[in-house]
Amino acid sequence: PGGGAGAPQPDGLAVRALPLSPGMEVRRVLLNAWKPATRKSYSLKWRAFQVWLADKGSQPQDCPVELILQFLLSLKRMGLSNSSVKVYLAAISGSHIPVDGRPVFSHPLVKRFMKGLYNLYPPVRPILPQWSLPLVLTHLMGPPFEPLASCPLSSLYWKVAFLVAVTSARRVSELAALRVDPPFLQFLPNKVALWPSWSFLPKVISSFHLNQRIVLPVFFPSPSSEAEVRLHTLDLRRALLYLVARTSGFRRSKRLFVCYHGPNKGSAASSKSISRWVVSAIRAAYGAAKVKCPLSLKAHSTRAFAASAVFSRGVPLQEVCAAATWSSADTFVQHYAVDVSSRQAAAVGTAVLQSMFPD
């Protein structure tokens, strides 16, 4: 039987007050408006709000807006970014009853507060991430990343994860959903085509974003000189063939990326694991170059690098957006601050690899 509106749920969240008291099945559907990762994130943030509010004499589901704003300000004073504060606000809004007939998130006072927060603490985004793509690509062509037949499994994983991330410009969550079995993985003469699992839900659920194909390029597939042989070591088809072959003996999952050591060896790798591998590839390349590595590295920066690098080399903006699954150019321009004034999906990956050559 359904409880009253705003009753706590097992994961710590509450269904916002409704004009009726929904049954458990309706509540389950309402909670699934958020994907599992979002529910987990919102649950942790809702609990943090409950703890903060414990000695304020109010209940979290119907506390005054002023207390919510005080909580958000306390988060900012703790050093959280504006975007992180906004996620806390979304979590609270999802479980708090409407105020003056509006969700907390869209309440005029809350909107004014967030605008003031962004004016006082404007976000600063560099034009490009603070690591060198040519440096990393150069050192992926040698030890410890080569030869792929005998290099450590960790080096193989780091290299493949980095190359797939930077040439596809996709989120790590999408890479974690890629499968190794037909028809999800297809090795073609001039490219590799990959699809995520049918059950994968992308960040934005729409007909444009669902089951998007990833097309990765071959790179100097028939090398005819010593230089081309070296460049061929960045070939995605070659790298993925080695990954599939060297994991076949312990693979326990159909996902492309599986854990390569520890108790979970052979099981599907998480997005966090793949992120670590991408960052490890960058750090290892800097170590091989004997150059100090930037302190703050994020796997997500490969999206910025891939999109910005290919756009600056003449790939049309609409093709960049299609490869990175942006339905419009707004995300690219706003998040990566690229000067818009300044071919095909596989051409995007090729342009990324070619960015190591000077203009």
Side-chain angles (χ1 to χ4, degrees), residues 10 16 33 41 60 65-66 107 109 161 167 178 199 234 247 259 293:
R16 193 185 302 153
S41 173
V65 169
E66 289 75 9
H107 190 277
L109 192 61
T167 56
L178 296 175
S199 62
L234 298 176
T247 57
C259 300
C293 187

Side-chain angles (χ1 to χ4, degrees), residues 267-290:
S267 300
S270 65
S271 297
K272 288 184 178 180
S273 293
I274 298 174
S275 293
R276 285 196 301 270
W277 299 340
V278 172
V279 170
S280 294
I282 299 172
R283 293 191 188 282
Y286 268 80
K290 294 181 171 55

Side-chain angles (χ1 to χ4, degrees), residues 13 83 92 108 175 184 220-221 336:
L13 293 172
S83 58
I92 295 169
L175 305 189
F184 299 96
F220 292 95
Y336 303 128

Side-chain angles (χ1 to χ4, degrees), residues 296-349:
S296 179
L297 289 174
K298 294 183 178 180
H300 191 73
S301 63
T302 56
R303 263 169 78 79
F305 244 129
S308 302
V310 299
F311 180 68
S312 66
R313 297 184 72 85
V315 174
L317 184 56
Q318 62 269 27
E319 292 183 17
V320 176
C321 292
T325 63
W326 291 316
S327 56
S328 75
D330 292 345
T331 301
F332 177 44
V333 175
Q334 292 173 4
H335 285 266
Y336 303 128
V338 175
D339 182 2
V340 181
S341 65
S342 39
R343 277 161 213 255
Q344 301 171 352
V348 171

Side-chain angles (χ1 to χ4, degrees), residues 168-230:
S168 68
R170 298 297 179 88
R171 294 181 178 87
V172 173
S173 60
E174 295 176 76
L175 305 189
L178 296 175
R179 292 178 62 112
V180 75
D181 52 324
F184 299 96
L185 174 60
Q186 298 179 11
F187 290 101
L188 304 170
N190 62 341
K191 61 189 175 185
V192 180
L194 306 98
W195 283 265
S197 171
W198 298 124
S199 62
F200 171 69
L201 295 179
K203 181 178 180 180
V204 179
I205 302 175
S206 70
S207 57
F208 172 80
H209 295 90
L210 285 168
N211 303 123
Q212 274 271 3
R213 179 182 64 163
I214 294 179
V215 179
L216 301 177
V218 296
F219 202 54
F220 292 95
S222 303
S224 58
S225 67
E226 185 176 337
E228 289 185 0
V229 169
R230 180 169 167 78

Side-chain angles (χ1 to χ4, degrees), residues 59-80:
Q59 295 299 314
Q61 287 93 346
D62 59 3
C63 67
V65 169
E66 289 75 9
L67 282 177
I68 296 174
L69 300 185
Q70 289 178 28
F71 173 67
L72 298 179
L73 185 58
S74 72
L75 296 175
K76 189 62 190 179
R77 287 172 173 166
M78 289 168 56
L80 272 68

